[in-house]
Amino acid sequence: MSDYPMQQSLFDEPPAPAQPLNTVELLDYLLDEKRIRMVDVKLALMLCDNQQNDVFYIVLLLCLAQQSQHSCLTLKEVDWQNPFNLRQSDFTKTEGNVPNITSPFNEAFNYLDALSCLSAHNSVGEAKPLQLFNERLYFARLADYEHTLATRLLAMSQRHLNINTQLLSQLLNDYFVDNSALAIDWQKVACAIAATKGFSVITGGPGTGKTTTVTKLLAILQSLYKSAPLSIKLVAPTGKAAARLSESILGAKEQLKIIPEDIKALIPDSAQTIHRLLGVKPFTNKFKHNSTNPLHLDVLIIDEASMVDLSLMAKLIEALPAHARLILLGDKDQLASVDTGSVMSDLCQGLALGETPNYSQARCDELNALCFKGEAKLASPGHSEFKLADCIAFLQHSYRFDAQSGIGQLALAVNTNHNGILKYVEQQSTQGQFNDVILDYDFVAKPIEKLINSAAKHYAHYLNLIAQGASVADVHAAFSQYQLLAAVREGDYGVNSLNSRIERALVQQGLISVSPNQRHYSGMPIMVSQNDYQLKLFNGDIGILMPDESGQLKALFIDEQNTVRAFSPARLPAHDKVYVMTIHKSQGSEFSYTAMVLPPLKHASMGVNRQLVYTGITRAKNTFELVADKKVLQLAMSKSVSRASGLYERLKY
């Protein structure tokens, strides 16, 4: 709609005079502008004896921090003169409300004052609703999760393991043949680290061989404990990620001829979701396995660990038996979990490509002896205050994406904010050297229909298979070959609009039939958006609506064990059509052809960042297409986000 009254253009009448700005109380302004929620105000009032004092507003800031998935409020980082980040541009409107103040705190107020008034408050302290730790304010539940996690991880890392080091060294040399092209075989180092610690992290970018490394590691562990084989469980946060892990481990087992058949039989190739492993209690969010009823296993490997939030990680680690090993696997640079916390990122702080992680000298000596016959290939960079530094393995060499790979180079350019590498990718792509990357910067000149038609063309394949009566497995496999990702939900370049446009294009092509009176139709792809513990359908699960054997329309899912599960559409929990999904929702998945669209510059300031774009790029296995204004891509590259947490601090000397 025009910003001007219609009369002006039709009758040439002067516009009505602008309404004056109305000054209101800060709290009223924050509520009116939906900067805070009424439920947060009620909570703050309850904790502060109905007094709108300094603590009241600090609690509101903590509520805002948690809504942004921060574990805590870092008091040192608050701008106490403008704690709610009010912009002057918000107050230059011709009409509406403006707050009477930008800060409820006095001019001299700082984090020390905040600490002082919080320390003296009756809602803060041990066994109280609010807790302080290292100049950070927590809700008690999240502080407890963080404390539990730190305590258990530390205990696991320090547990003595009875290992035949001579046999381990021999196995490492057997499974990792010397490669002169590699200065350091980080896969070999990773296996040595995980074999000698009760807790370990193996992180690396796309194509660094995380699955191959883990498969060899499991073969090594089973060989070390051959007389009493280990009970090993593989898990991932989502069904899609679990299915992908199962497929990858199975493929690696078949490919690695070096693994003896008797050892190969002891390596599991079936993964499950964390929720399924813990055993969800029907109609609750509680689990069957916990500290009083621990899991029956010796080794637990969690793939896509960056997706696991603080709460779930704490509950999982509480359910581990005292003797169990825990191995986290994933890419530290991907988006953090959709819920609170960033456990993987916290544990991998300070890692940098081309540099040896911050191992102690004793750890370097041990790894050099195990991996390199005592040759001093690993040297300690210096003292680390991080107690788990010796447990972190960083895979640094990409085997899938080499110098000839556009996807790998583009991911590197984004992850390191390196415009020189980006320019190189652009040149190679234009010259046809990188045929795995398509960069469509012509954002304004080309209509969005080009993208819509391209997506519709790709989706035609799985829809034709449905029409031909193909198996559920074949239909799902065809659908997962291509995926369009969007950075935002709203606007012309958001998920909701793109989904509707693609749907209309498929209708016009006669590939689907949509009735205005019915929400569901054959061929409709859906993604579950709410956990249903009774049906064992979880947020992120993808199903496709198609006729079952009796001709009834059903939502058909394939779980991590490749079992087909059918549900009446009426029974489904909350779900959305998913011709397009958000980048967040794509985590844990991989698509042969991945297309990603970023919003125009004026809509890209919020939420578009380095981790988001990097995650989108690394969903692509063979082809990646980017539809975006180059300025938006560069903006995202320059903007890195992190979540407030005290986990790293709790694990320092």
Side-chain angles (χ1 to χ4, degrees), residues 241-395:
R244 205 178 128 203
L245 177 61
S246 300
E247 186 183 319
S248 301
I249 294 277
L250 185 61
K253 280 170 66 175
E254 289 174 356
Q255 189 181 353
L256 294 169
K257 306 299 183 188
I258 191 173
I259 305 177
E261 289 301 317
D262 59 333
I263 297 296
K264 198 174 284 188
L266 299 173
I267 300 174
D269 50 38
S270 177
Q272 58 189 313
T273 62
I274 297 172
H275 286 83
R276 189 183 292 273
L277 176 75
L278 289 173
V280 176
K281 290 184 177 179
F283 309 106
T284 74
N285 60 355
K286 294 185 170 34
F287 300 110
K288 293 174 185 175
H289 292 287
N290 49 42
S291 55
T292 58
N293 180 30
L295 293 158
H296 303 289
L297 54 80
D298 301 312
V299 180
L300 179 64
I301 293 177
I302 308 175
D303 194 21
E304 297 287 354
S306 63
M307 296 172 64
V308 185
D309 61 86
L310 175 63
S311 164
L312 186 56
M313 190 70 84
K315 289 175 182 177
L316 182 57
I317 205 165
E318 275 193 308
L320 289 179
H323 73 276
R325 296 170 186 251
L326 176 63
I327 300 163
L328 303 186
L329 191 65
D331 187 343
K332 66 179 179 65
D333 296 315
Q334 283 184 28
L335 283 164
S337 62
V338 294
D339 214 327
T340 305
S342 53
V343 176
M344 190 75 168
S345 179
D346 291 341
L347 296 174
C348 295
Q349 281 191 38
L351 296 182
L353 279 170
E355 296 179 12
T356 299
N358 236 337
Y359 302 137
S360 64
Q361 189 55 56
R363 185 59 158 162
C364 286
D365 294 343
E366 181 187 19
L367 293 171
N368 284 328
L370 285 169
C371 300
F372 310 118
K373 300 175 182 175
E375 186 183 345
K377 287 195 174 187
L378 296 173
S380 176
H383 175 69
S384 174
E385 292 184 330
F386 185 48
K387 292 180 181 178
L388 301 184
D390 287 347
C391 304
I392 313 298
F394 183 24
L395 305 181

Side-chain angles (χ1 to χ4, degrees), residues 28 94 275 341 389 412 478 516 567 584 604-605:
D28 293 334
T94 55
H275 286 83
L412 180 63
F567 300 91
H584 280 87
S605 56

Side-chain angles (χ1 to χ4, degrees), residues 584-630:
H584 280 87
K585 290 287 190 183
S586 73
Q587 276 193 277
S589 299
E590 188 177 71
F591 312 98
S592 181
Y593 190 126
T594 302
M596 180 170 70
V597 59
L598 302 180
L601 193 58
K602 62 181 179 181
H603 301 302
S605 56
M606 296 295 289
V608 179
N609 54 63
R610 184 186 307 170
Q611 288 87 348
L612 188 81
V613 175
Y614 173 82
T615 300
I617 295 167
T618 54
R619 298 311 88 209
K621 192 172 183 179
N622 298 318
T623 307
F624 176 75
E625 179 183 359
L626 176 65
V627 179
D629 183 339
K630 185 177 176 178

Side-chain angles (χ1 to χ4, degrees), residues 637-650:
M637 288 168 59
S638 66
K639 190 175 174 184
S640 182
V641 294
S642 60
R643 290 183 179 174
S645 162
L647 181 60
Y648 187 84
E649 295 295 318
R650 292 179 194 269

Side-chain angles (χ1 to χ4, degrees), residues 462-463 466 475-476 519-527 543-548 552-557 567-570 572 575:
Y462 90 89
L463 291 168
I466 293 175
V475 171
H476 268 269
R519 181 186 176 188
H520 299 105
Y521 54 86
S522 180
M524 180 180 180
I526 60 167
M527 176 181 278
I544 297 174
L545 274 76
M546 51 194 288
D548 64 5
Q552 294 292 310
L553 187 66
K554 294 289 178 67
L556 297 167
F557 296 79
F567 300 91
S568 166
L572 291 171
H575 57 278

